[in-house]
């Protein structure tokens, strides 16, 4: 009976084992539930792998942008009230899923928000390689939020060689 109780407590107390980022990427790079494969229009162009997981700024299935494989990720998303939010993975993220994120509201002017993103990504020694991708994503989210609020008209999508 004592052995059973000790084993049951062990099951509840045990944490996830931390694995190296490169090992996790090797496990998930060819198959995961977030991957979207789009085939090219011609045989020369080949297929492109996109990814829709949180923490992936460019929506590309690569090690650099992966939100699953990297222990430090940056994500910029639109909120329900047409504002933006910057989400960073914390050190707890390896062992606890939902509480391992820090969210920063991006509700100042465009220039001050860009400075915040640069400060969190590059100046804070977090992920300086993602600075330009984070600024590009914020620019797209900002433009979309302005169109949703009715401040600016939405851009027309260009099709073909018009």
């Amino acid at each position: 009976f004592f052995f059973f109780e000790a084993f049951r407590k062990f099951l509840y107390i045990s944490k996830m084992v931390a694995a190296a980022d490169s090992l996790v990427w090797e496990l998930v790079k060819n198959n995961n539930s977030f991957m979207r494969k789009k085939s090219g229009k011609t045989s020369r162009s080949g297929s492109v792998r996109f990814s829709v997981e949180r923490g992936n700024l460019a929506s590309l299935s690569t090690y650099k942008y992966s939100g699953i494989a990297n222990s430090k990720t940056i994500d910029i998303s639109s909120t329900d009230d047409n504002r933006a939010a910057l989400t960073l993975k914390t050190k707890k993220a390896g062992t606890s899923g939902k509480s391992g994120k820090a969210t920063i509201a991006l509700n100042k002017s465009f220039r001050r928000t860009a400075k915040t993103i640069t400060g969190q990504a590059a100046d804070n020694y977090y992920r300086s390689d993602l600075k330009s991708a984070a600024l590009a994503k914020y620019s797209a989210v900002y433009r979309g939020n302005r169109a949703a609020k009715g401040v600016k008209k939405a851009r027309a999508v260009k099709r073909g060689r018009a």
Side-chain angles (χ1 to χ4, degrees):
F1 179 73
F2 177 73
F3 177 74
F4 180 71
E5 276 295 313
F7 184 70
R8 200 178 93 214
K9 285 182 181 178
F10 173 76
L11 287 177
Y12 288 115
I13 295 173
S14 64
K15 293 182 179 180
M16 283 179 21
V17 177
D21 294 349
S22 56
L23 174 64
V24 173
W25 175 247
E26 288 298 321
L27 294 172
V28 301
K29 73 177 178 182
N30 290 325
N31 251 336
N32 63 58
S33 62
F34 301 106
M35 189 180 298
R36 305 288 184 264
K37 294 179 183 176
K38 299 287 181 184
S39 58
K41 297 198 182 239
T42 65
S43 60
R44 283 178 52 188
S45 63
S47 64
V48 182
R49 291 180 179 185
F50 293 105
S51 186
V52 293
E53 81 244 14
R54 287 189 180 139
N56 192 327
L57 286 172
S59 297
L60 293 174
S61 183
T62 61
Y63 176 65
K64 177 181 178 179
Y65 296 114
S66 176
I68 302 170
N70 288 307
S71 56
K72 292 182 176 181
T73 62
I74 299 172
D75 189 29
I76 296 174
S77 57
S78 181
T79 59
D80 294 335
D81 58 342
N82 293 327
R83 293 183 184 261
L86 171 71
T87 308
L88 305 168
K89 261 191 191 179
T90 62
K91 289 187 178 182
K92 287 183 182 179
T95 55
S96 63
K98 290 188 177 183
S99 64
K101 293 181 281 193
T103 305
I104 301 165
L106 301 175
N107 51 13
K108 302 287 183 197
S109 67
F110 186 86
R111 205 176 293 170
R112 285 182 69 184
T113 302
K115 188 176 178 186
T116 301
I117 293 168
T118 304
Q120 289 296 324
D123 299 343
N124 205 10
Y125 301 107
Y126 192 73
R127 287 284 304 268
S128 58
D129 59 327
L130 294 179
K131 182 180 104 169
S132 61
L135 290 172
K137 176 86 181 254
Y138 175 67
S139 179
V141 168
Y142 181 78
R143 192 169 50 242
N145 284 344
R146 284 175 57 89
K149 287 179 186 175
V151 175
K152 196 165 187 176
K153 288 185 181 178
R155 286 185 176 181
V157 178
K158 292 182 180 178
R159 301 208 181 265
R161 293 186 175 199

